[in-house]
Amino acid sequence: MTAATTTASETSTGLPAAARLAATFDPDRLRAELTALTRDDWRRQRTYSEDGASEEYAADWRVLPLRSPGGDERRTDAGGPGPLPFAATSWLARAPTSRKSSSPCLPACGPPG
């Protein structure tokens, strides 16, 4: 099958374009955790370098870091090369369902401009 004849349900490799994953969490529990966490102050996204933090992004992009470089709750960046390994923040302890996730943060975008 060529790319031109690939259907929405199948890729050129013959594998499905998407696969349904089994939910391994309690959606009600996750909703309760997220509701509790939304009461906290989610910081605007910013990047960090060896020189320190940059300005906050102009867009309303906020992050609650569950894991961050050094476990620093002020770090909203994705990390990168540096001396600090990722560590849990106090928010991760309050979100046991999210502990199972590989995502280091919970992002939230404001309404479009």
Side-chain angles (χ1 to χ4, degrees):
M1 179 175 283
T2 66
T5 59
T6 300
T7 65
S9 63
E10 189 177 303
T11 66
S12 61
T13 63
L15 298 173
R20 184 177 303 273
L21 301 176
T24 58
F25 60 89
D26 178 347
D28 294 327
R29 184 174 175 184
L30 179 60
R31 186 176 302 112
E33 288 174 12
L34 292 175
T35 298
L37 290 172
T38 57
R39 296 183 187 117
D40 290 330
D41 181 30
W42 290 43
R43 297 180 179 273
R44 284 190 182 266
Q45 178 69 35
R46 58 177 19 169
T47 56
Y48 285 76
S49 69
E50 292 177 3
D51 300 327
S54 69
E55 295 293 319
E56 294 177 339
Y57 287 170
D60 189 8
W61 176 260
R62 296 175 183 269
V63 176
L64 189 73
L66 301 176
R67 297 178 190 89
S68 69
D72 185 343
E73 294 175 355
R74 297 169 296 169
R75 296 285 301 260
T76 59
D77 60 310
L84 297 174
F86 267 70
T89 65
S90 65
W91 286 299
L92 187 61
R94 295 174 41 207
T97 302
S98 296
R99 251 184 261 161
K100 298 174 184 176
S101 166
S102 61
S103 176
C105 65
L106 298 173
C109 296

